[in-house]
Amino acid sequence: MGLLFSKPHKDGDHGNLESGFTKYFKNYEPETKIISEATTHLIELCLEKGDINGANSIISDALKNIDNATINIAVTGESGAGKSSLINALRGVKHEGKDAAEVGVTETTMKVAPYEHPKVKNLTLWELPGIGTLKFPPKDYLEKVNFEKYDFFIIVSATQLTKHELDLAKAIRIRKKNYYLVRSKVDCDLENEKKSKPRSFNRENTLNKIRNYYLDALKENKIDEPQVFLISNFNLSDYDFPVLMDTLVKDLPAEKRLLLSLLNITEAAIQKKYNSAKQTILLKSMLDGFVVACPILSILKVLDKERLKKHLDDYRDLFGVDDKSLMFMAADAQVPVELLKKKLKSPYLLELKEETLEGLLFKYVEKIAIATGGFLATGLYLKKTYYLQLYFLDTVAEDAKVLLQEAYSKK
């Protein structure tokens, strides 16, 4: 990444000014960008004209939209399908935790219940009562649960599709919102199938049989382009949960995508979260302005250090490598938290001497320069704190992958 903007030509040709910005955002697939194509184009137009103030105004509005964006996810279906378990899984909380959605063998939700995500502000999962219960008959269901509030619906089913679920899917589509059908408890189905047919059991055949049943039922009821995801609420990295998360992110407006970077269940999920955070760092750093010379040799001010500490704490929290998360993981693994912490680098970044941090940062910027074709050779530079934030983000993301591998090794 490095130098993102070249110095405008003296003859007034500002064509090079936007090239770094354009190239940077071309590195991301359209469905993973946190600002829309239209917003990117407007910023590029301003940069072509040398209108930095205009570009910053657009960026400022885009960041406000991201900061103020909310996501409301409705989780619905018949009673006993596993709605509460899915909500707890999406929020990354234990079923017996004090803030967990209540899980039980009977219908435990008798009214609409909101659950805020513990790490992602403005993200709320709403557990809706089971459709078809006495208090929520099908004909009044969507009105009673305040249909318009939600960005999309997850319909959870644990056995066979019922008429209520099919009618609900149709009604959601008619009202032009997205729904995703989640078939929960597939781990239980596989276990039962293996016990009943030990000789002929085939995992993939069983999963395909379950999936095809749902797809056929939806198509027979004239529900176009159905999407079915097979999951286990107790083992999110298996089955279709990662695919479900990718689909949800892709279908959201650009400004809401950062909010849905939820769980570190795979390295790919960590990378998506990293890419979203990286784009945000660039946009905010552009608002902070540019310097003409390479900023690496400048001394950090006290205020810079305070800001950097907050950024580092935010990244560690977002990626689940904060002290509280480490304590929970250490308790689960039955190892001392300090032993777990020694495997990571991010908790100790701000303990480094400034000279040591300068050396690490210099090597990091050199690496960026090589990777981006020598953008650092001339022109405008973003401030030193930008490069440090990127270095911190890289370190935290790598720590998250280390913890993921650690969790798998314990299994």
Side-chain angles (χ1 to χ4, degrees), residues 331-393:
D332 281 346
Q334 296 184 326
V335 297
V337 69
E338 288 305 320
L339 190 64
L340 196 61
K341 211 171 179 180
K342 282 182 181 178
K343 299 177 184 290
L344 310 179
K345 295 179 180 178
S346 59
Y348 309 104
L349 281 174
L350 291 177
E351 295 177 11
L352 297 173
K353 292 182 178 179
E354 186 153 329
E355 306 81 49
T356 305
L357 195 58
E358 289 284 0
L360 289 171
L361 185 58
F362 189 78
K363 289 180 182 177
Y364 179 72
V365 175
E366 277 188 325
K367 184 176 75 171
I368 291 174
I370 293 169
T372 55
F375 278 146
L376 288 173
T378 183
L380 297 170
Y381 296 80
L382 290 163
K383 293 182 180 177
K384 177 179 181 175
T385 50
Y386 164 71
Y387 300 100
L388 279 168
Q389 284 181 68
L390 277 186
Y391 180 67
F392 288 0
L393 178 65

Short mmCIF file of all heavy atoms in Angstrom, two decimals, residues 331-393:
data_model
loop_
_atom_site.label_atom_id
_atom_site.label_comp_id
_atom_site.label_asym_id
_atom_site.label_seq_id
_atom_site.Cartn_x
_atom_site.Cartn_y
_atom_site.Cartn_z
N ALA A 331 -9.29 -20.65 30.28
CA ALA A 331 -10.13 -21.44 31.18
C ALA A 331 -10.67 -22.68 30.47
O ALA A 331 -10.70 -23.79 31.03
CB ALA A 331 -11.28 -20.59 31.72
N ASP A 332 -11.12 -22.50 29.21
CA ASP A 332 -11.63 -23.64 28.44
C ASP A 332 -10.54 -24.68 28.19
O ASP A 332 -10.79 -25.88 28.23
CB ASP A 332 -12.19 -23.16 27.09
CG ASP A 332 -13.58 -22.55 27.22
OD1 ASP A 332 -14.21 -22.75 28.28
OD2 ASP A 332 -14.03 -21.88 26.28
N ALA A 333 -9.34 -24.18 27.88
CA ALA A 333 -8.23 -25.09 27.58
C ALA A 333 -7.53 -25.61 28.83
O ALA A 333 -6.67 -26.49 28.75
CB ALA A 333 -7.21 -24.38 26.69
N GLN A 334 -7.91 -25.03 29.99
CA GLN A 334 -7.31 -25.40 31.28
C GLN A 334 -5.79 -25.20 31.27
O GLN A 334 -5.02 -26.08 31.66
CB GLN A 334 -7.68 -26.84 31.66
CG GLN A 334 -9.19 -27.02 31.87
CD GLN A 334 -9.54 -28.43 32.33
OE1 GLN A 334 -8.90 -29.39 31.94
NE2 GLN A 334 -10.56 -28.54 33.16
N VAL A 335 -5.39 -24.02 30.79
CA VAL A 335 -3.97 -23.65 30.79
C VAL A 335 -3.86 -22.25 31.39
O VAL A 335 -4.83 -21.48 31.35
CB VAL A 335 -3.36 -23.65 29.37
CG1 VAL A 335 -3.40 -25.04 28.77
CG2 VAL A 335 -4.06 -22.64 28.47
N PRO A 336 -2.71 -21.90 31.97
CA PRO A 336 -2.55 -20.53 32.50
C PRO A 336 -2.66 -19.51 31.38
O PRO A 336 -2.14 -19.72 30.28
CB PRO A 336 -1.13 -20.55 33.09
CG PRO A 336 -0.80 -22.00 33.27
CD PRO A 336 -1.53 -22.74 32.20
N VAL A 337 -3.32 -18.40 31.64
CA VAL A 337 -3.52 -17.38 30.62
C VAL A 337 -2.19 -16.82 30.13
O VAL A 337 -2.04 -16.46 28.95
CB VAL A 337 -4.45 -16.26 31.15
CG1 VAL A 337 -3.77 -15.44 32.23
CG2 VAL A 337 -4.90 -15.36 30.01
N GLU A 338 -1.20 -16.73 31.02
CA GLU A 338 0.11 -16.21 30.62
C GLU A 338 0.79 -17.11 29.60
O GLU A 338 1.51 -16.65 28.72
CB GLU A 338 1.01 -16.02 31.84
CG GLU A 338 0.61 -14.86 32.73
CD GLU A 338 0.50 -13.54 31.97
OE1 GLU A 338 1.37 -13.29 31.10
OE2 GLU A 338 -0.45 -12.78 32.21
N LEU A 339 0.54 -18.43 29.71
CA LEU A 339 1.10 -19.37 28.74
C LEU A 339 0.50 -19.13 27.36
O LEU A 339 1.21 -19.18 26.34
CB LEU A 339 0.82 -20.80 29.19
CG LEU A 339 1.53 -21.92 28.43
CD1 LEU A 339 3.03 -21.82 28.62
CD2 LEU A 339 1.03 -23.28 28.89
N LEU A 340 -0.79 -18.86 27.34
CA LEU A 340 -1.47 -18.57 26.08
C LEU A 340 -1.00 -17.23 25.51
O LEU A 340 -0.76 -17.09 24.31
CB LEU A 340 -2.99 -18.52 26.34
CG LEU A 340 -3.92 -18.61 25.13
CD1 LEU A 340 -3.72 -19.91 24.38
CD2 LEU A 340 -5.37 -18.49 25.58
N LYS A 341 -0.84 -16.27 26.39
CA LYS A 341 -0.45 -14.92 25.98
C LYS A 341 0.95 -14.90 25.36
O LYS A 341 1.24 -14.09 24.47
CB LYS A 341 -0.50 -14.00 27.21
CG LYS A 341 -0.86 -12.55 26.92
CD LYS A 341 -1.10 -11.80 28.22
CE LYS A 341 -1.44 -10.35 27.96
NZ LYS A 341 -1.68 -9.61 29.22
N LYS A 342 1.83 -15.80 25.83
CA LYS A 342 3.20 -15.84 25.33
C LYS A 342 3.27 -16.24 23.86
O LYS A 342 4.28 -16.00 23.19
CB LYS A 342 4.04 -16.80 26.17
CG LYS A 342 4.48 -16.22 27.49
CD LYS A 342 5.34 -17.20 28.26
CE LYS A 342 5.78 -16.61 29.61
NZ LYS A 342 6.57 -17.57 30.40
N LYS A 343 2.21 -16.86 23.36
CA LYS A 343 2.18 -17.27 21.95
C LYS A 343 1.86 -16.09 21.02
O LYS A 343 1.92 -16.22 19.81
CB LYS A 343 1.13 -18.38 21.75
CG LYS A 343 1.41 -19.65 22.54
CD LYS A 343 0.29 -20.65 22.34
CE LYS A 343 0.50 -21.89 23.20
NZ LYS A 343 1.61 -22.73 22.72
N LEU A 344 1.48 -14.95 21.61
CA LEU A 344 1.00 -13.80 20.83
C LEU A 344 2.02 -12.65 20.87
O LEU A 344 2.88 -12.60 21.74
CB LEU A 344 -0.34 -13.33 21.39
CG LEU A 344 -1.41 -14.40 21.60
CD1 LEU A 344 -2.67 -13.77 22.19
CD2 LEU A 344 -1.72 -15.12 20.29
N LYS A 345 1.86 -11.72 19.94
CA LYS A 345 2.73 -10.55 19.87
C LYS A 345 2.01 -9.25 20.24
O LYS A 345 2.60 -8.34 20.79
CB LYS A 345 3.31 -10.41 18.46
CG LYS A 345 4.24 -11.54 18.06
CD LYS A 345 4.76 -11.35 16.63
CE LYS A 345 5.69 -12.48 16.23
NZ LYS A 345 6.16 -12.32 14.82
N SER A 346 0.72 -9.18 19.92
CA SER A 346 0.01 -7.90 20.07
C SER A 346 -0.08 -7.39 21.51
O SER A 346 -0.02 -6.16 21.71
CB SER A 346 -1.39 -7.99 19.46
OG SER A 346 -2.17 -8.99 20.07
N PRO A 347 -0.17 -8.26 22.55
CA PRO A 347 -0.28 -7.70 23.91
C PRO A 347 0.96 -6.91 24.34
O PRO A 347 0.90 -6.12 25.29
CB PRO A 347 -0.46 -8.95 24.79
CG PRO A 347 -1.02 -9.98 23.88
CD PRO A 347 -0.37 -9.72 22.56
N TYR A 348 2.07 -7.13 23.63
CA TYR A 348 3.33 -6.52 24.08
C TYR A 348 3.81 -5.39 23.16
O TYR A 348 4.89 -4.84 23.37
CB TYR A 348 4.42 -7.60 24.15
CG TYR A 348 3.99 -8.82 24.93
CD1 TYR A 348 3.63 -10.00 24.27
CD2 TYR A 348 3.88 -8.77 26.32
CE1 TYR A 348 3.21 -11.10 25.00
CE2 TYR A 348 3.46 -9.88 27.04
CZ TYR A 348 3.12 -11.04 26.38
OH TYR A 348 2.69 -12.13 27.09
N LEU A 349 3.02 -5.03 22.16
CA LEU A 349 3.48 -4.04 21.18
C LEU A 349 3.82 -2.69 21.81
O LEU A 349 4.83 -2.07 21.48
CB LEU A 349 2.41 -3.84 20.09
CG LEU A 349 2.36 -4.92 19.01
CD1 LEU A 349 1.16 -4.69 18.09
CD2 LEU A 349 3.64 -4.94 18.20
N LEU A 350 2.97 -2.23 22.71
CA LEU A 350 3.20 -0.91 23.30
C LEU A 350 4.22 -0.94 24.44
O LEU A 350 4.55 0.10 25.00
CB LEU A 350 1.88 -0.31 23.79
CG LEU A 350 0.92 0.09 22.65
CD1 LEU A 350 -0.39 0.61 23.21
CD2 LEU A 350 1.55 1.13 21.74
N GLU A 351 4.71 -2.14 24.75
CA GLU A 351 5.77 -2.24 25.75
C GLU A 351 7.15 -2.11 25.11
O GLU A 351 8.16 -1.99 25.81
CB GLU A 351 5.67 -3.59 26.49
CG GLU A 351 4.39 -3.73 27.32
CD GLU A 351 4.28 -5.09 27.98
OE1 GLU A 351 5.29 -5.83 27.96
OE2 GLU A 351 3.19 -5.41 28.50
N LEU A 352 7.19 -2.15 23.77
CA LEU A 352 8.47 -2.03 23.07
C LEU A 352 9.04 -0.62 23.20
O LEU A 352 8.29 0.36 23.26
CB LEU A 352 8.29 -2.35 21.58
CG LEU A 352 7.83 -3.78 21.24
CD1 LEU A 352 7.54 -3.87 19.74
CD2 LEU A 352 8.90 -4.79 21.63
N LYS A 353 10.34 -0.53 23.24
CA LYS A 353 10.99 0.79 23.23
C LYS A 353 10.74 1.45 21.88
O LYS A 353 10.61 0.77 20.86
CB LYS A 353 12.50 0.65 23.46
CG LYS A 353 12.86 0.17 24.86
CD LYS A 353 14.37 0.09 25.02
CE LYS A 353 14.75 -0.34 26.44
NZ LYS A 353 16.21 -0.44 26.61
N GLU A 354 10.68 2.77 21.89
CA GLU A 354 10.33 3.48 20.65
C GLU A 354 11.35 3.19 19.54
O GLU A 354 10.98 3.05 18.38
CB GLU A 354 10.23 4.98 20.90
CG GLU A 354 9.74 5.73 19.67
CD GLU A 354 9.03 7.02 20.01
OE1 GLU A 354 8.41 7.10 21.09
OE2 GLU A 354 9.11 7.94 19.21
N GLU A 355 12.63 3.03 19.91
CA GLU A 355 13.65 2.73 18.89
C GLU A 355 13.38 1.37 18.25
O GLU A 355 13.53 1.18 17.04
CB GLU A 355 15.06 2.74 19.49
CG GLU A 355 15.44 4.01 20.23
CD GLU A 355 14.89 4.06 21.66
OE1 GLU A 355 15.05 3.10 22.41
OE2 GLU A 355 14.26 5.08 21.97
N THR A 356 12.95 0.41 19.07
CA THR A 356 12.65 -0.93 18.56
C THR A 356 11.44 -0.89 17.64
O THR A 356 11.42 -1.50 16.57
CB THR A 356 12.38 -1.91 19.73
OG1 THR A 356 13.49 -1.88 20.62
CG2 THR A 356 12.16 -3.32 19.21
N LEU A 357 10.43 -0.14 18.07
CA LEU A 357 9.21 0.00 17.27
C LEU A 357 9.52 0.70 15.95
O LEU A 357 8.99 0.33 14.90
CB LEU A 357 8.16 0.80 18.05
CG LEU A 357 6.72 0.75 17.53
CD1 LEU A 357 6.21 -0.68 17.46
CD2 LEU A 357 5.81 1.59 18.42
N GLU A 358 10.43 1.69 15.99
CA GLU A 358 10.84 2.38 14.77
C GLU A 358 11.47 1.40 13.78
O GLU A 358 11.19 1.42 12.59
CB GLU A 358 11.86 3.48 15.09
CG GLU A 358 11.28 4.69 15.81
CD GLU A 358 10.51 5.60 14.88
OE1 GLU A 358 10.42 5.29 13.68
OE2 GLU A 358 9.98 6.61 15.36
N GLY A 359 12.34 0.51 14.32
CA GLY A 359 13.01 -0.47 13.45
C GLY A 359 12.02 -1.43 12.81
O GLY A 359 12.11 -1.71 11.61
N LEU A 360 11.10 -1.93 13.62
CA LEU A 360 10.08 -2.84 13.09
C LEU A 360 9.23 -2.14 12.04
O LEU A 360 8.91 -2.72 10.99
CB LEU A 360 9.19 -3.34 14.24
CG LEU A 360 9.82 -4.32 15.22
CD1 LEU A 360 8.88 -4.55 16.41
CD2 LEU A 360 10.10 -5.66 14.53
N LEU A 361 8.89 -0.89 12.32
CA LEU A 361 8.03 -0.14 11.42
C LEU A 361 8.74 0.13 10.10
O LEU A 361 8.14 0.06 9.02
CB LEU A 361 7.60 1.17 12.07
CG LEU A 361 6.59 2.02 11.29
CD1 LEU A 361 5.32 1.24 11.03
CD2 LEU A 361 6.28 3.30 12.05
N PHE A 362 10.04 0.44 10.17
CA PHE A 362 10.80 0.72 8.95
C PHE A 362 10.81 -0.50 8.03
O PHE A 362 10.59 -0.41 6.83
CB PHE A 362 12.22 1.14 9.30
CG PHE A 362 12.99 1.64 8.10
CD1 PHE A 362 12.77 2.92 7.61
CD2 PHE A 362 13.91 0.83 7.47
CE1 PHE A 362 13.46 3.38 6.50
CE2 PHE A 362 14.61 1.29 6.36
CZ PHE A 362 14.38 2.57 5.88
N LYS A 363 11.02 -1.68 8.62
CA LYS A 363 11.01 -2.92 7.83
C LYS A 363 9.62 -3.17 7.24
O LYS A 363 9.48 -3.64 6.11
CB LYS A 363 11.43 -4.11 8.71
CG LYS A 363 12.89 -4.10 9.09
CD LYS A 363 13.23 -5.31 9.96
CE LYS A 363 14.70 -5.28 10.37
NZ LYS A 363 15.03 -6.42 11.27
N TYR A 364 8.60 -2.84 8.02
CA TYR A 364 7.22 -3.04 7.58
C TYR A 364 6.90 -2.14 6.38
O TYR A 364 6.32 -2.58 5.40
CB TYR A 364 6.27 -2.75 8.74
CG TYR A 364 4.81 -2.90 8.40
CD1 TYR A 364 4.25 -4.17 8.20
CD2 TYR A 364 3.98 -1.79 8.29
CE1 TYR A 364 2.91 -4.32 7.90
CE2 TYR A 364 2.63 -1.93 7.99
CZ TYR A 364 2.11 -3.20 7.79
OH TYR A 364 0.79 -3.34 7.48
N VAL A 365 7.31 -0.88 6.46
CA VAL A 365 7.05 0.05 5.36
C VAL A 365 7.83 -0.36 4.11
O VAL A 365 7.33 -0.25 2.99
CB VAL A 365 7.39 1.49 5.78
CG1 VAL A 365 7.25 2.46 4.60
CG2 VAL A 365 6.48 1.94 6.91
N GLU A 366 9.05 -0.87 4.30
CA GLU A 366 9.81 -1.38 3.16
C GLU A 366 9.07 -2.52 2.48
O GLU A 366 9.01 -2.60 1.25
CB GLU A 366 11.19 -1.88 3.64
CG GLU A 366 12.23 -0.80 3.78
CD GLU A 366 13.60 -1.40 4.05
OE1 GLU A 366 13.67 -2.43 4.75
OE2 GLU A 366 14.60 -0.85 3.57
N LYS A 367 8.48 -3.39 3.29
CA LYS A 367 7.72 -4.53 2.75
C LYS A 367 6.51 -4.03 1.95
O LYS A 367 6.20 -4.54 0.88
CB LYS A 367 7.25 -5.44 3.90
CG LYS A 367 6.54 -6.70 3.44
CD LYS A 367 6.19 -7.60 4.62
CE LYS A 367 5.01 -7.05 5.39
NZ LYS A 367 4.53 -8.02 6.40
N ILE A 368 5.84 -3.00 2.49
CA ILE A 368 4.69 -2.41 1.79
C ILE A 368 5.13 -1.83 0.46
O ILE A 368 4.47 -2.00 -0.57
CB ILE A 368 4.03 -1.31 2.65
CG1 ILE A 368 3.34 -1.92 3.88
CG2 ILE A 368 3.00 -0.51 1.84
CD1 ILE A 368 2.79 -0.90 4.84
N ALA A 369 6.28 -1.15 0.46
CA ALA A 369 6.78 -0.51 -0.76
C ALA A 369 7.04 -1.54 -1.85
O ALA A 369 6.69 -1.34 -3.01
CB ALA A 369 8.05 0.26 -0.45
N ILE A 370 7.65 -2.66 -1.48
CA ILE A 370 7.94 -3.72 -2.45
C ILE A 370 6.63 -4.32 -2.98
O ILE A 370 6.45 -4.52 -4.18
CB ILE A 370 8.81 -4.82 -1.80
CG1 ILE A 370 10.19 -4.25 -1.48
CG2 ILE A 370 8.93 -6.02 -2.73
CD1 ILE A 370 11.04 -5.16 -0.60
N ALA A 371 5.68 -4.54 -2.07
CA ALA A 371 4.42 -5.18 -2.45
C ALA A 371 3.58 -4.29 -3.36
O ALA A 371 2.77 -4.79 -4.14
CB ALA A 371 3.62 -5.54 -1.20
N THR A 372 3.74 -2.97 -3.26
CA THR A 372 2.89 -2.06 -4.03
C THR A 372 3.65 -1.42 -5.19
O THR A 372 3.19 -0.42 -5.76
CB THR A 372 2.33 -0.94 -3.12
OG1 THR A 372 3.42 -0.30 -2.46
CG2 THR A 372 1.38 -1.50 -2.10
N GLY A 373 4.80 -1.96 -5.53
CA GLY A 373 5.50 -1.48 -6.71
C GLY A 373 6.24 -0.17 -6.54
O GLY A 373 6.42 0.59 -7.48
N GLY A 374 6.66 0.11 -5.31
CA GLY A 374 7.50 1.28 -5.10
C GLY A 374 6.76 2.60 -4.97
O GLY A 374 7.29 3.64 -5.33
N PHE A 375 5.54 2.57 -4.45
CA PHE A 375 4.77 3.81 -4.28
C PHE A 375 5.47 4.80 -3.35
O PHE A 375 5.18 5.98 -3.36
CB PHE A 375 3.39 3.51 -3.69
CG PHE A 375 2.39 3.06 -4.72
CD1 PHE A 375 1.43 2.13 -4.39
CD2 PHE A 375 2.41 3.57 -6.00
CE1 PHE A 375 0.51 1.71 -5.33
CE2 PHE A 375 1.48 3.16 -6.94
CZ PHE A 375 0.53 2.23 -6.61
N LEU A 376 6.39 4.29 -2.51
CA LEU A 376 7.01 5.18 -1.52
C LEU A 376 8.14 6.02 -2.10
O LEU A 376 8.76 6.78 -1.38
CB LEU A 376 7.56 4.34 -0.36
CG LEU A 376 6.51 3.74 0.58
CD1 LEU A 376 7.18 2.82 1.57
CD2 LEU A 376 5.75 4.82 1.33
N ALA A 377 8.39 5.90 -3.39
CA ALA A 377 9.55 6.57 -3.96
C ALA A 377 9.44 8.09 -3.92
O ALA A 377 10.42 8.79 -3.74
CB ALA A 377 9.76 6.11 -5.40
N THR A 378 8.22 8.63 -4.08
CA THR A 378 8.07 10.09 -4.13
C THR A 378 6.64 10.47 -3.80
O THR A 378 5.76 9.63 -3.76
CB THR A 378 8.43 10.62 -5.54
OG1 THR A 378 8.34 12.05 -5.52
CG2 THR A 378 7.49 10.11 -6.60
N GLY A 379 6.43 11.77 -3.55
CA GLY A 379 5.05 12.27 -3.42
C GLY A 379 4.58 12.43 -2.00
O GLY A 379 5.35 12.65 -1.08
N LEU A 380 3.24 12.31 -1.83
CA LEU A 380 2.60 12.53 -0.53
C LEU A 380 2.53 11.24 0.28
O LEU A 380 2.31 10.16 -0.27
CB LEU A 380 1.18 13.06 -0.75
CG LEU A 380 1.07 14.43 -1.45
CD1 LEU A 380 -0.37 14.70 -1.82
CD2 LEU A 380 1.61 15.52 -0.55
N TYR A 381 2.67 11.38 1.58
CA TYR A 381 2.63 10.23 2.48
C TYR A 381 1.56 10.45 3.53
O TYR A 381 1.32 11.58 3.97
CB TYR A 381 3.97 10.05 3.20
CG TYR A 381 5.13 9.74 2.31
CD1 TYR A 381 5.77 10.76 1.61
CD2 TYR A 381 5.61 8.45 2.18
CE1 TYR A 381 6.84 10.49 0.77
CE2 TYR A 381 6.68 8.16 1.35
CZ TYR A 381 7.30 9.18 0.65
OH TYR A 381 8.36 8.90 -0.16
N LEU A 382 0.93 9.37 3.95
CA LEU A 382 0.07 9.46 5.12
C LEU A 382 0.93 9.50 6.37
O LEU A 382 2.10 9.12 6.35
CB LEU A 382 -0.89 8.26 5.14
CG LEU A 382 -1.95 8.31 4.04
CD1 LEU A 382 -2.59 6.95 3.86
CD2 LEU A 382 -3.02 9.35 4.33
N LYS A 383 0.37 9.95 7.46
CA LYS A 383 1.17 10.17 8.67
C LYS A 383 1.62 8.85 9.30
O LYS A 383 1.09 7.79 9.03
CB LYS A 383 0.36 11.00 9.67
CG LYS A 383 0.13 12.44 9.18
CD LYS A 383 -0.64 13.27 10.18
CE LYS A 383 -0.84 14.69 9.67
NZ LYS A 383 -1.64 15.52 10.60
N LYS A 384 2.60 9.00 10.17
CA LYS A 384 3.24 7.84 10.78
C LYS A 384 2.24 6.94 11.50
O LYS A 384 2.35 5.71 11.44
CB LYS A 384 4.30 8.33 11.77
CG LYS A 384 5.00 7.23 12.54
CD LYS A 384 6.03 7.85 13.44
CE LYS A 384 6.78 6.79 14.22
NZ LYS A 384 7.87 7.38 15.01
N THR A 385 1.26 7.54 12.16
CA THR A 385 0.30 6.72 12.92
C THR A 385 -0.48 5.78 12.01
O THR A 385 -0.93 4.73 12.43
CB THR A 385 -0.69 7.62 13.69
OG1 THR A 385 -1.22 8.60 12.81
CG2 THR A 385 0.00 8.30 14.86
N TYR A 386 -0.64 6.16 10.72
CA TYR A 386 -1.31 5.28 9.75
C TYR A 386 -0.56 3.96 9.61
O TYR A 386 -1.13 2.88 9.68
CB TYR A 386 -1.42 5.99 8.41
CG TYR A 386 -1.74 5.08 7.25
CD1 TYR A 386 -3.01 4.51 7.13
CD2 TYR A 386 -0.79 4.79 6.29
CE1 TYR A 386 -3.30 3.67 6.07
CE2 TYR A 386 -1.08 3.95 5.23
CZ TYR A 386 -2.34 3.40 5.12
OH TYR A 386 -2.63 2.56 4.08
N TYR A 387 0.77 4.05 9.41
CA TYR A 387 1.57 2.85 9.23
C TYR A 387 1.61 2.01 10.51
O TYR A 387 1.61 0.79 10.47
CB TYR A 387 2.99 3.23 8.78
CG TYR A 387 3.00 4.00 7.48
CD1 TYR A 387 3.13 5.38 7.47
CD2 TYR A 387 2.83 3.33 6.26
CE1 TYR A 387 3.11 6.09 6.27
CE2 TYR A 387 2.81 4.04 5.06
CZ TYR A 387 2.95 5.42 5.07
OH TYR A 387 2.92 6.12 3.90
N LEU A 388 1.64 2.70 11.65
CA LEU A 388 1.63 1.97 12.92
C LEU A 388 0.30 1.24 13.13
O LEU A 388 0.27 0.10 13.59
CB LEU A 388 1.89 2.93 14.08
CG LEU A 388 3.37 3.26 14.32
CD1 LEU A 388 3.50 4.43 15.28
CD2 LEU A 388 4.12 2.05 14.85
N GLN A 389 -0.82 1.91 12.77
CA GLN A 389 -2.11 1.24 12.90
C GLN A 389 -2.16 -0.02 12.03
O GLN A 389 -2.65 -1.06 12.45
CB GLN A 389 -3.24 2.18 12.47
CG GLN A 389 -3.59 3.24 13.50
CD GLN A 389 -4.72 4.11 13.01
OE1 GLN A 389 -5.85 3.66 12.87
NE2 GLN A 389 -4.43 5.37 12.71
N LEU A 390 -1.62 0.09 10.80
CA LEU A 390 -1.59 -1.08 9.92
C LEU A 390 -0.73 -2.19 10.50
O LEU A 390 -1.07 -3.37 10.44
CB LEU A 390 -1.04 -0.68 8.55
CG LEU A 390 -2.02 -0.07 7.55
CD1 LEU A 390 -1.33 0.12 6.21
CD2 LEU A 390 -3.25 -0.93 7.37
N TYR A 391 0.41 -1.79 11.07
CA TYR A 391 1.30 -2.78 11.69
C TYR A 391 0.60 -3.46 12.86
O TYR A 391 0.66 -4.69 13.02
CB TYR A 391 2.59 -2.11 12.14
CG TYR A 391 3.57 -3.07 12.78
CD1 TYR A 391 4.18 -4.07 12.02
CD2 TYR A 391 3.86 -3.00 14.14
CE1 TYR A 391 5.06 -4.97 12.60
CE2 TYR A 391 4.74 -3.88 14.72
CZ TYR A 391 5.34 -4.87 13.95
OH TYR A 391 6.20 -5.76 14.53
N PHE A 392 -0.08 -2.68 13.68
CA PHE A 392 -0.83 -3.24 14.80
C PHE A 392 -1.93 -4.19 14.31
O PHE A 392 -2.12 -5.28 14.85
CB PHE A 392 -1.47 -2.12 15.63
CG PHE A 392 -0.50 -1.32 16.46
CD1 PHE A 392 0.86 -1.61 16.45
CD2 PHE A 392 -0.93 -0.28 17.26
CE1 PHE A 392 1.76 -0.87 17.22
CE2 PHE A 392 -0.05 0.47 18.03
CZ PHE A 392 1.30 0.17 18.00
N LEU A 393 -2.65 -3.74 13.27
CA LEU A 393 -3.74 -4.57 12.73
C LEU A 393 -3.19 -5.89 12.18
O LEU A 393 -3.76 -6.97 12.44
CB LEU A 393 -4.47 -3.80 11.61
CG LEU A 393 -5.61 -4.55 10.91
CD1 LEU A 393 -6.75 -4.84 11.88
CD2 LEU A 393 -6.11 -3.76 9.71
#
